Amino acid sequence: MSILNGNISNNSIYPETPPFGKRLKETALIPLERCHDVEINERSDCAFAVHNNGLSAYDISNKANPILISTIEGIVQPREIKIMNGVAFIVARANGLYIVDISNPSEMKMLSTYDTIELASSVDVSNDGLCFVSNRHLGVEIIDVKNPSEPKYISSFMCGEAQSVFACEGYLYIGDWMNKQVYIVNIEDPKKPKVASILQTDGFSDGVFVLDKICYVVTGHHSSNFKNRQKYENYPFITPEMIADGYGCGHGLEIFDVSDPEHPEWISGIKFPPLFGAPDIWKVTVSDNTAYVSDSN
């Protein structure tokens, strides 16, 4: 039996003295059903959001008043979006890869679709016209998108449970979720990708981001089998008792030096307080010496 109270106080969600400081002030809100990802165009004046059954473009030149420009429907179960040179690349799990011309946000056009090998979970694109799609249990697929209207298969390779992919300077960084590791793959010859090295992480490897020869990896919380999360709900730090109860694996950020991708070195890591615990940590983005980590729940 469950007893539900629909009038929960905000104090139970945001404590009076949250360990990470004050909540950010909301500038504007765009209500969307099942919004999974948002990307900003090269001019930073438009936001493109993938949601429920489509892609919507918003004018964000005035951040406090975003205006809907247009929506293109028929993109089923979108998961992630990347933009390159006026083209949006959207992965949609069992529905593969959608490629959309967004150069004119008021008249977005579907250029093509591509049937990926399995569940398309993450996507990245390089300046030289290559698209990389992680297919969860069936590895990463490399696709030629120089002509986005006619995507062409190049190669694929197995790499555990590939939940995320990030391309940087001739290498792919792939979050192998189930095996708690990150593959670093040499793609100088995209027809013959080669594993350069493997990073071991303390938790299920989710989002990966690389900047200035540093690789950032976020790890899912539920690899720890934490027995009673509520018991430590308001702890802003980790104690030996918490570790004994199962806390410690996953739910954190790990940082590696990848200046030599063949021989990466672990630099440091941080665990997030259980107050912010949820099933997964999905993404990390780094800007101006700050890492921004998103929690899927």
Side-chain angles (χ1 to χ4, degrees), residues 42-54:
E42 288 91 340
R43 298 187 303 275
S44 299
D45 61 352
C46 287
F48 295 85
V50 288
H51 54 89
N52 201 25
N53 191 38

Side-chain angles (χ1 to χ4, degrees), residues 104 158 185:
N104 181 357
M158 298 296 289
V185 179

Side-chain angles (χ1 to χ4, degrees), residues 94-163:
N95 300 291
L97 174 68
Y98 294 87
I99 303 178
V100 182
D101 181 349
I102 59 167
S103 56
N104 181 357
S106 62
E107 295 182 5
M108 296 187 290
K109 299 177 182 178
M110 184 72 70
L111 294 175
S112 60
T113 58
Y114 180 91
D115 187 13
T116 55
I117 295 173
E118 199 226 13
L119 298 177
S121 300
S122 180
V123 62
D124 204 2
V125 191
S126 62
N127 283 316
D128 55 354
L130 296 179
C131 180
F132 311 95
V133 176
S134 67
N135 288 301
R136 195 167 179 180
H137 293 295
L138 289 179
V140 167
E141 203 164 348
I142 302 177
I143 306 160
D144 182 343
V145 291
K146 295 182 181 67
N147 179 358
S149 296
E150 297 182 3
K152 297 178 181 179
Y153 172 87
I154 296 178
S155 64
S156 61
F157 57 97
M158 298 296 289
C159 49
E161 186 176 357
Q163 287 281 27

Side-chain angles (χ1 to χ4, degrees), residues 116-240:
T116 55
I117 295 173
E118 199 226 13
L119 298 177
S121 300
S122 180
V123 62
D124 204 2
V125 191
S126 62
N127 283 316
D128 55 354
L130 296 179
C131 180
F132 311 95
V133 176
S134 67
N135 288 301
R136 195 167 179 180
H137 293 295
L138 289 179
V140 167
E141 203 164 348
I142 302 177
I143 306 160
D144 182 343
V145 291
K146 295 182 181 67
N147 179 358
S149 296
E150 297 182 3
K152 297 178 181 179
Y153 172 87
I154 296 178
S155 64
S156 61
F157 57 97
M158 298 296 289
C159 49
E161 186 176 357
Q163 287 281 27
S164 61
V165 61
F166 190 96
C168 183
E169 299 180 353
Y171 287 87
L172 287 185
Y173 297 81
I174 303 157
D176 176 6
W177 186 83
M178 179 62 71
N179 297 303
K180 306 174 187 176
Q181 58 192 16
V182 173
Y183 275 80
I184 303 179
V185 179
N186 186 317
I187 52 167
E188 292 177 353
D189 181 356
K191 294 181 180 179
K192 298 179 180 179
K194 298 184 297 183
V195 176
S197 58
I198 297 177
L199 307 175
Q200 301 298 325
T201 60
D202 185 24
F204 292 168
S205 300
D206 289 336
V208 179
F209 191 92
V210 181
L211 180 67
D212 297 333
K213 309 294 184 181
I214 303 295
C215 177
Y216 303 84
V217 186
V218 282
T219 55
H221 183 89
H222 55 314
S223 66
S224 65
N225 295 318
F226 202 23
K227 295 180 180 64
N228 186 353
R229 189 175 303 157
Q230 285 71 32
K231 181 177 179 181
Y232 304 105
E233 188 173 36
N234 295 315
Y235 276 47
F237 47 82
I238 299 171
T239 68

